[in-house]
Amino acid sequence: MHFFQNIFLISFDLTKKSILFVLVILQILLVDYNSFAEVQPKKYTAKPLTSAITINGTPNELAWTSANVANDFIQLDPKEGALASQISEVRVLYDNTAIYISAVLFDTHSDSILHQFGNRDGSGNLNSDGFRVSIDPYNQRQNGYVFEVSASGVQSESYDEDLNFDAVWESDVSISEFGWSLEIKIPYSAIRFPVKEEQLWAVQFARIIKRNNEHDQWTLTPKDISNRMLYWGTMDGIKNISPPLRLSLTPYLSFYIERSPSKTYYLDKKYESSNSYSGGADIKYGINESFTLDMTLLPDFSQVQSDNKVKNLSAFETIYSEKRPFFNEGTSLFSKGGLFYSRRIGKTPALFYDVPFYLKEGDVLDDNPDKVKLLNATKLSGRTNKGLGIGFLNAVSNNTYATIKRSNGEIEKILTEPLTNYNLIVFDQQLKHNSSIYLVNTNVMRNGKSRDANVTKGEVKFENKKNQYSLRGNYSESHIFEWTDDKKHDVSGSAMYFAADKIIGKALYGLSYESVEKTYNKSDLSYLFYNDISQLNSYFAYGEYNPFWKYFKQGSITLYANRRGSLSRKNELTDLLGGIKLFLIFNNNWSLYTEYGVSPVDGKNYYEPRIENRFYLNPKSFFNSFDLTTDYNKKLAFNFGGFYSHVKTIEGSDNWGCYIIPRIRFSDHFILQIENKYNKNNNEIGFATIMGLDTSIFGKREVVTIENSITSNYIFKNDMSLTFSIRHYWSNGMYNKFYQLNSAGRLIEYSQSNMQAYDFNSNYFTVDLVYNWQFAPGSSFLVTYKNLILSESENDTRSYFANLKETLSGPQVNSISLKVLYYLDYQLLVRRKMKFK
C-alpha cells in the first residue's frame, strides 16, 4: 500500500511542464517500437496473382491453385483449444492494386447454414454464419483492420475497434451442398501500410458457425489476455507494392420538406410548411501512406435518427450518442483521454432557453434555432511506421441568432451562440510490450468576448514483457477564459489518475486512484459529471472461459469497492459503494447478468442542492438488478429483467422497474423488436427548486416512467432496406411534500402552497422511417420520414392510453428528406480511363 501512496504523492507534485518533459524523454528512450511478446504461432506466405479473378464467391479460377492454404482452425468458443467442428481453407493472393482472399468453408450440414440478410456493417448482429480476416500491416499488434462477410453476403469492417470505420471493398459468397465459400478483394486504397520492399503483416482468419455459437480461429488467441493481437500469425510474401493515391470525393444533394406548428398554433391550430435543398461533399485524401485527410463541406445531417430523449431530474446533463457519420467514423484516435464529445459541435445554442425572457408584451418569437449550423469540419489522422499516431480535428460553427418581431414591427436578432472554432490534436506513441504514451489537447475559441477553453491531457501506460501487469497514469489540466469587466480571466484546474492491474489469467484485480480539482472543467468539448473528487477504486474478478459444471459455457464474478471524497474538503466522504456482479452463459445459449450493490454510510452530496458549497446527506441504500437473455439463434427471443433499490430517506424510498424486449425473426429478410419498460419511484427525494438566492428546496415525489418502442427492419436485399422505428416515452411526476435543506445537509419540512406547480407530465414521441438503397459501392439513395412530438405539462392523472391519445393530437413536426450520395474513387476512375484507351 505504501508503494501506491508514494506513486500518488510523486505524481501529484509533478507540474504540467515536468509531465511533458517526462513524456518526451520516454519517447526518446523507448525506441524499440516494433517489439512485442514473442508469440507467433503460425506463418503464412502470400503469393502473387498470376491470372484474372472474378469476385463471385466461387474461387474456382486457376489462379487460386497457386496460393498457399491456411487451415487447421482451432476453436475459441465454445471450447477453447479444441479442433474446429468443420474444415476451413483460406488462400491469399495479391497484385499491385489489391489483396485477394478466398475461403472454402466446408459444412457437413450445409442445409443448416444460417444466412440472415442485413444492412451493411451489421453482420455482427445477424443470425448468420460468417468469415473474418484481420490484418495489421505495420505488425505492431496494437491496432488493425477487420473485414467480415456473412454467409448472406453482408459486409462489415472496423479499424482499431472503431466499428464506424468505413471502406470500399468487394466481396461475394456462394452456398452449395458442400458448405459455403467467399471471395474478397481489398484494394490498397482501403488500408494503410508501410513503404518497404517486402511487407510483414500480422494476420488472423476466423470463422463463425452460428447454429453452434462456434468461433474458430486460424491461430488461437487465448481469452484470458488483454491484447489478443499478440497471438495473431504473420504473413509475408507481399513484395514491391506501393501505396496508391488515396483520393475520393462523395458529393451529395439533399431535399428537405417540413411541416411544423405555426407560431400561433395554440390559437388557431395552424401548421406552416417549409422546404429547402442543399449540397455539399465529403473529401478523403491520403496525404501519404500513413495519413489521411477527411473533410466535410456544408454537411447535412437531416437523415440522422432521432435521439431517445428522457426526462432528466438529476444534477447532470443527459449524454446522447453520436449518430452523424462524419463524427463517428475514424475517431478512435480522438477518443484518447476522454476529452472529445463530438456532440458539442453543432449543439443547442447556449442562450436557446433564455430567448423567451427577452420577449415583451405583444412581441412574437419568429425564429429560435435549436441547433448551431456547422460550416465545415476537417480530420487528419494516421500512424507512422514507428507507431506514432497523430490526429487533428477542426470544426467551425456559424453565428446563431434568434429573431424577435417586436410589437412596433421592428425585427431584432439576438445572438444565441457566437462563431466557434473547435480544435483537437492528439499524439499517440506505441511502445514495446503493448505499452503506449499519448498527449491530447483540445481548444475551443468563440468570437468576441465569449468563453474560451483549453484542455491538455497526457498518459503513460506500461505493461511488463509477459503482458501480465499494467501500470497507467495520466495528468490533465484545463484553462477556462472568461470576460469580466472587459478583462479576460483564466480559471485553471487539474486532474490526475493512476491504476495498477493484473491483466492476464482467470483471476484479475486492480486498484486505481483519481483526483479532480474543483476548478477543473473539460465540458466545452467533452463532458464532466464529477469534479472536486478524490476517489479510490478496487476490484477482483474471476472468470471461467470454457464450459464448467456441465451447465455453463462461460462465467465470471466480480467484486468491487469504491470510495469517493471531496478533494477540497480534506477528502471528507461523499460516497462509499461496494458490490458484486455475476455473469453466466448457459449451454442452451441463454445468458444471465445480475448485480447487487450497497452504500452502507451517509455521504455528502454537493451536486443535488444546485447551490455552491451546500450538501445533502445521501442516505444509506442498496440495489440489485438482473438481466436474462434467451437464445438469439431462435426465431423468437427475449431479453427481460428488473431492478430494485431502496434508499433510507425520511419515509423510505423504493425504486423498482422491469422490462421485456421480444425479438421476432419472421424470415431472413424481416425482423421485429418490441421494447416495453416500466419504472416507478415511490417517495423519491430530490431537488425541486431554489427559493431566493441560497435556499434549496427538495421534494418527495412519485414518478412513473413508461417507455414503449417498436423497431422493424426489412431487407429487400443486402444493398436495399427499409427501417422503421416508433418510440413513446412518458414520465409522470407528482410532488406530495416539500423540504428545506439546512446547513447540516438535513431536510426540514417546508410549507409550499402551490405544490402542483412542480408536477410534470413529459411525453416524447418519435417516428423514423428510412429507405436506404446502396446503388453502387459507397453510394446511397436515402429517403427519410420523421415525426416528432414533444409535450411538457403539469401532472396528468389520465391513464396511459388516454395520455397517449392526447399526445398524438398535439402539435407535431413532420419532415421528409431525400439525399443522394455518389462515391468517386480516383483509382477507379484512372483504371476505367486506361481500360477505355
Side-chain angles (χ1 to χ4, degrees):
M1 191 64 185
H2 293 295
F3 170 75
F4 294 111
Q5 290 176 343
N6 291 335
I7 290 292
F8 162 64
L9 292 174
I10 294 171
S11 300
F12 191 74
D13 288 336
L14 288 173
T15 63
K16 179 181 176 182
K17 290 183 179 180
S18 62
I19 284 284
L20 296 178
F21 177 76
V22 170
L23 299 183
V24 172
I25 294 299
L26 285 171
Q27 282 187 317
I28 295 173
L29 294 177
L30 299 170
V31 295
D32 188 10
Y33 305 115
N34 294 311
S35 178
F36 58 89
E38 296 179 2
V39 182
Q40 298 184 27
K42 290 185 178 180
K43 293 184 178 181
Y44 183 88
T45 300
K47 295 291 186 178
L49 182 66
T50 56
S51 58
I53 288 177
T54 301
I55 305 299
N56 57 13
T58 306
N60 54 10
E61 290 94 346
L62 182 63
W64 290 116
T65 61
S66 65
N68 292 316
V69 179
N71 50 21
D72 296 332
F73 278 54
I74 304 168
Q75 281 189 35
L76 180 67
D77 286 316
K79 188 173 182 179
E80 181 181 333
L83 293 178
S85 64
Q86 305 291 338
I87 296 174
S88 304
E89 295 182 350
V90 180
R91 294 170 172 83
V92 180
L93 298 171
Y94 74 95
D95 61 15
N96 59 355
T97 63
I99 182 173
Y100 304 82
I101 301 103
S102 73
V104 179
L105 309 171
F106 296 96
D107 199 314
T108 53
H109 300 281
S110 60
D111 56 342
S112 299
I113 295 172
L114 298 175
H115 53 280
Q116 179 190 341
F117 292 86
N119 290 321
R120 195 178 192 280
D121 294 327
S123 61
N125 298 319
L126 296 181
N127 194 47
S128 175
D129 286 24
F131 175 81
R132 183 182 304 151
V133 56
S134 306
I135 54 176
D136 170 17
Y138 292 91
N139 196 30
Q140 291 164 343
R141 301 175 184 260
Q142 293 196 32
N143 44 52
Y145 299 91
V146 178
F147 297 90
E148 184 170 354
V149 182
S150 73
S152 56
V154 178
Q155 289 185 345
S156 297
E157 68 273 281
S158 63
Y159 175 70
D160 194 18
E161 298 183 354
D162 177 10
L163 300 179
N164 296 298
F165 168 75
D166 222 0
V168 177
W169 49 290
E170 296 180 51
S171 67
D172 205 352
V173 301
S174 176
I175 298 178
S176 69
E177 59 181 317
F178 302 106
W180 67 289
S181 59
L182 60 96
E183 291 178 299
I184 296 174
K185 177 183 179 181
I186 304 173
Y188 296 139
S189 58
I191 60 176
R192 303 168 188 169
F193 54 88
V195 177
K196 54 174 62 176
E197 183 176 343
E198 181 172 357
Q199 303 288 319
L200 182 64
W201 296 359
V203 66
Q204 174 71 291
F205 308 116
R207 176 184 181 180
I208 308 297
I209 305 176
K210 192 67 174 180
R211 67 179 181 273
N212 302 333
N213 278 353
E214 182 177 336
H215 184 173
D216 300 329
Q217 295 180 320
W218 175 58
T219 176
L220 184 65
T221 61
K223 298 176 187 177
D224 61 353
I225 62 172
S226 62
N227 182 8
R228 299 184 181 182
M229 293 180 66
L230 296 174
Y231 288 77
W232 286 9
T234 55
M235 181 171 68
D236 58 16
I238 300 179
K239 302 177 181 179
N240 302 318
I241 64 171
S242 300
L245 174 63
R246 291 180 286 115
L247 175 62
S248 66
L249 175 69
T250 308
Y252 81 86
L253 184 64
S254 70
F255 299 88
Y256 184 79
I257 303 172
E258 180 178 279
R259 179 177 179 267
S260 58
S262 67
K263 305 296 185 300
T264 59
Y265 175 83
Y266 289 100
L267 297 177
D268 53 21
K269 304 292 183 181
K270 288 184 179 179
Y271 282 84
E272 297 176 343
S273 297
S274 62
N275 59 79
S276 63
Y277 64 90
S278 62
D282 290 341
I283 302 171
K284 190 182 293 286
Y285 171 58
I287 297 175
N288 57 23
E289 74 277 6
S290 300
F291 293 94
T292 301
L293 178 70
D294 293 273
M295 298 181 64
T296 182
L297 306 177
L298 302 175
D300 170 56
F301 302 120
S302 56
Q303 287 75 27
V304 172
Q305 184 181 351
S306 304
D307 288 323
N308 291 335
K309 291 185 176 294
V310 298
K311 180 68 175 180
N312 187 356
L313 299 175
S314 75
F316 311 106
E317 68 174 314
T318 303
I319 300 300
Y320 294 106
S321 60
E322 179 62 86
K323 300 175 182 178
R324 297 171 295 179
F326 179 83
F327 292 107
N328 261 333
E329 182 192 345
T331 56
S332 57
L333 262 178
F334 303 113
S335 65
K336 297 285 183 182
L339 297 187
F340 182 51
Y341 175 47
S342 57
R343 291 195 56 149
R344 292 287 185 237
I345 302 173
K347 66 182 181 67
T348 300
L351 298 182
F352 172 78
Y353 297 103
D354 295 340
V355 172
F357 297 102
Y358 289 87
L359 296 175
K360 301 176 183 178
E361 186 176 353
D363 293 345
V364 176
L365 179 58
D366 192 54
D367 189 26
N368 187 17
D370 63 350
K371 287 185 176 61
V372 173
K373 177 68 175 178
L374 179 62
L375 295 177
N376 60 69
T378 303
K379 294 183 298 188
L380 171 66
S381 61
R383 193 173 293 275
T384 68
N385 295 355
K386 293 187 176 181
L388 176 62
I390 301 175
F392 172 76
L393 184 143
N394 175 266
V396 179
S397 61
N398 204 0
N399 288 320
T400 305
Y401 294 93
T403 305
I404 295 177
K405 187 175 182 180
R406 297 297 183 187
S407 56
N408 59 6
E410 292 183 358
I411 302 298
E412 181 179 349
K413 288 190 173 183
I414 298 174
L415 182 66
T416 57
E417 185 75 28
L419 176 75
T420 307
N421 187 287
Y422 301 89
N423 283 289
L424 182 150
I425 186 166
V426 54
F427 299 93
D428 176 42
Q429 178 65 67
Q430 297 174 344
L431 306 174
K432 62 181 180 179
H433 310 316
N434 201 38
S435 300
S436 63
I437 183 172
Y438 70 72
L439 182 68
V440 186
N441 175 264
T442 64
N443 188 42
V444 179
M445 296 179 291
R446 297 178 174 91
N447 190 36
K449 294 182 178 180
S450 301
R451 170 188 172 117
D452 298 330
N454 188 286
V455 184
T456 302
K457 187 172 188 177
E459 177 172 297
V460 181
K461 185 191 78 167
F462 291 105
E463 291 186 16
N464 67 324
K465 188 174 183 179
K466 295 184 178 180
N467 305 103
Q468 298 166 305
Y469 300 96
S470 169
L471 293 177
R472 184 159 61 99
N474 63 53
Y475 175 84
S476 182
E477 193 168 293
S478 68
H479 293 268
I480 306 301
F481 304 96
E482 293 190 289
W483 291 83
T484 305
D485 299 329
D486 290 330
K487 291 184 179 180
K488 198 171 186 179
H489 301 276
D490 175 10
V491 179
S492 63
S494 65
M496 61 85 62
Y497 176 85
F498 175 80
D501 299 273
K502 179 178 180 288
I503 57 176
I504 190 172
K506 293 183 177 181
L508 306 175
Y509 46 83
L511 184 71
S512 66
Y513 176 81
E514 180 181 18
S515 69
V516 182
E517 289 184 343
K518 192 173 184 178
T519 52
Y520 179 77
N521 192 337
K522 61 175 183 175
S523 296
D524 288 76
L525 198 49
S526 182
Y527 56 86
L528 179 68
F529 289 153
Y530 297 99
N531 58 7
D532 189 25
I533 64 169
S534 173
Q535 181 165 298
L536 186 67
N537 303 319
S538 61
Y539 72 92
F540 173 83
Y542 182 84
E544 283 287 352
Y545 304 108
N546 286 309
F548 64 100
W549 291 356
K550 76 180 181 180
Y551 298 109
F552 306 108
K553 287 186 175 181
Q554 292 183 32
S556 66
I557 186 169
T558 303
L559 303 172
Y560 63 88
N562 307 323
R563 187 209 186 268
R564 182 184 301 146
S566 173
L567 185 65
S568 67
R569 299 175 178 89
K570 299 181 180 180
N571 203 29
E572 67 177 7
L573 179 68
T574 60
D575 191 25
L576 181 65
L577 179 66
I580 183 172
K581 302 176 185 179
L582 176 67
F583 176 70
L584 295 169
I585 300 179
F586 298 86
N587 286 333
N588 62 357
N589 295 327
W590 288 36
S591 64
L592 171 68
Y593 173 85
T594 184
E595 180 177 3
Y596 176 84
V598 60
S599 183
V601 297
D602 296 345
K604 292 183 177 181
N605 185 335
Y606 285 91
Y607 300 96
E608 190 67 10
R610 323 291 169 93
I611 295 178
E612 186 75 13
N613 295 321
R614 297 295 297 276
F615 65 87
Y616 167 59
L617 279 176
N618 262 349
K620 305 175 183 69
S621 64
F622 70 86
F623 70 90
N624 61 280
S625 65
F626 80 94
D627 178 273
L628 186 64
T629 302
T630 67
D631 185 1
Y632 266 42
N633 288 343
K634 306 295 185 182
K635 290 184 178 294
L636 177 62
F638 291 89
N639 176 217
F640 54 90
F643 56 90
Y644 172 77
S645 67
H646 177 77
V647 183
K648 293 185 178 180
T649 57
I650 298 173
E651 299 182 29
S653 174
D654 297 296
N655 176 19
W656 66 275
C658 58
Y659 56 91
I660 181 169
I661 307 174
R663 183 177 183 268
I664 310 168
R665 179 165 47 88
F666 292 99
S667 69
D668 286 335
H669 293 268
F670 182 39
I671 289 182
L672 181 70
Q673 180 169 295
I674 304 171
E675 294 190 22
N676 308 103
K677 301 178 180 179
Y678 179 87
N679 182 31
K680 185 172 184 180
N681 292 353
N682 293 316
N683 296 333
E684 181 184 55
I685 300 291
F687 172 82
T689 188
I690 294 176
M691 293 294 183
L693 297 177
D694 59 354
T695 303
S696 183
I697 303 300
F698 279 53
K700 186 180 73 168
R701 58 203 179 207
E702 306 291 320
V703 181
V704 174
T705 301
I706 299 176
E707 181 179 355
N708 294 309
S709 65
I710 300 174
T711 303
S712 66
N713 199 5
Y714 189 86
I715 309 297
F716 300 96
K717 51 183 182 176
N718 285 334
D719 56 8
M720 184 184 296
S721 65
L722 184 67
T723 302
F724 171 75
S725 63
I726 180 171
R727 175 182 181 264
H728 177 226
Y729 174 93
W730 178 39
S731 186
N732 181 269
M734 182 183 297
Y735 287 85
N736 50 47
K737 192 176 287 187
F738 288 88
Y739 305 92
Q740 178 180 337
L741 182 69
N742 66 18
S743 58
R746 304 289 183 181
L747 298 178
I748 304 171
E749 195 163 332
Y750 179 82
S751 177
Q752 173 58 259
S753 58
N754 189 15
M755 199 173 294
Q756 290 74 26
Y758 299 95
D759 296 345
F760 58 87
N761 189 65
S762 303
N763 285 274
Y764 310 141
F765 182 87
T766 57
V767 176
D768 290 82
L769 179 65
V770 180
Y771 169 79
N772 186 354
W773 174 32
Q774 294 186 343
F775 57 87
S779 305
S780 299
F781 171 68
L782 297 100
V783 181
T784 304
Y785 167 77
K786 291 185 181 182
N787 175 272
L788 173 64
I789 303 174
L790 302 178
S791 172
E792 296 279 358
S793 62
E794 294 183 1
N795 184 60
D796 194 322
T797 58
R798 286 171 291 190
S799 68
Y800 172 80
F801 290 102
N803 174 80
L804 177 59
K805 182 179 179 181
E806 178 69 18
T807 299
L808 294 178
S809 64
Q812 52 191 280
V813 178
N814 293 276
S815 65
I816 297 178
S817 63
L818 287 79
K819 187 173 185 178
V820 180
L821 304 94
Y822 192 79
Y823 175 79
L824 299 170
D825 188 306
Y826 174 80
Q827 293 297 323
L828 184 60
L829 293 176
V830 169
R831 288 195 293 271
R832 286 179 177 176
K833 184 177 180 180
M834 294 177 63
K835 184 176 180 181
F836 180 76
K837 287 182 178 180

